[in-house]
Amino acid sequence: MASNALLTNDQRLARHLNMDATCLRCKGIYENIDHIFRFCLTSKVVWYFLFPASKHKEFFHKDTNAWMLQNIKGTNLVKGRSWCLIFGISIDIIWQNRNQSIFEGLISHPSDRVKHILAKVEVVHEILKQSMKFNSPGRIVKHKGGVRWNSPPHG
């Protein structure tokens, strides 16, 4: 995302693959990374559902790279889960939703997207929790320095 590698409408226009950079979801502003993930109304509503109103101003007023890094490295808990996990899954779901809307004509309500995000967060959280219980080769293990993967023995 930070390197503008996603094929947004502004990138498609720059590559002469499109005649217009307008966001096809909100029919508004120029569609770039920042617009898709933060400022398009269809995305903004999802973020409003996910975290407290007291954090909204800070969330929407950083440059894209600082915003991304701060949220990926976020260690605080939201809804009892790690914010960086919620954030990463939210970005994935927002991108999927954008593509489904544009290429398949599928439109989902923001509350349905939030439910999908939170359900996926729970699945990933449980997988990580289970993975950390094992300390055998080929498994993810928790150790003093964080999480690491042990390779299986040769043979």
Side-chain angles (χ1 to χ4, degrees):
M1 272 181 45
S3 63
N4 284 326
L6 295 177
L7 199 55
T8 58
N9 280 344
D10 71 325
Q11 292 296 312
R12 292 173 64 200
L13 182 64
R15 296 174 189 180
H16 306 288
L17 299 172
N18 203 8
M19 301 287 289
D20 187 10
T22 302
C23 175
L24 297 174
R25 295 185 300 163
C26 70
K27 309 292 186 240
I29 197 162
Y30 193 74
E31 186 198 68
N32 60 19
I33 295 288
D34 228 13
H35 179 76
I36 289 173
F37 294 108
R38 279 201 292 184
F39 299 113
C40 183
L41 185 59
T42 62
S43 301
K44 208 171 206 178
V45 172
V46 169
W47 296 120
Y48 284 156
F49 275 117
L50 287 172
F51 59 89
S54 62
K55 303 286 186 183
H56 292 173
K57 186 175 181 180
E58 177 186 338
F59 188 81
F60 292 105
H61 286 88
K62 291 191 182 289
D63 86 319
T64 308
N65 290 337
W67 174 75
M68 184 65 61
L69 284 173
Q70 178 183 348
N71 287 290
I72 288 173
K73 292 179 178 182
T75 57
N76 54 326
L77 295 179
V78 174
K79 300 185 184 296
R81 297 293 175 248
S82 169
W83 174 249
C84 61
L85 179 61
I86 294 171
F87 179 77
I89 290 173
S90 297
I91 291 293
D92 180 53
I93 300 292
I94 288 169
W95 181 249
Q96 286 178 30
N97 176 260
R98 179 254 186 204
N99 290 331
Q100 288 172 339
S101 172
I102 291 170
F103 300 114
E104 298 171 31
L106 300 174
I107 309 290
S108 64
H109 192 273
S111 64
D112 293 333
R113 277 178 262 147
V114 170
K115 288 176 191 170
H116 185 190
I117 289 165
L118 295 176
K120 202 167 187 179
V121 165
E122 286 308 310
V123 168
V124 173
H125 177 78
E126 286 303 312
I127 290 169
L128 290 172
K129 194 166 83 173
Q130 291 299 317
S131 295
M132 289 183 187
K133 287 182 181 179
F134 299 101
N135 190 7
S136 60
R139 301 284 185 160
I140 296 173
V141 296
K142 189 174 183 179
H143 65 96
K144 199 173 187 176
V147 176
R148 70 171 185 213
W149 182 76
N150 287 341
S151 60
H154 296 296

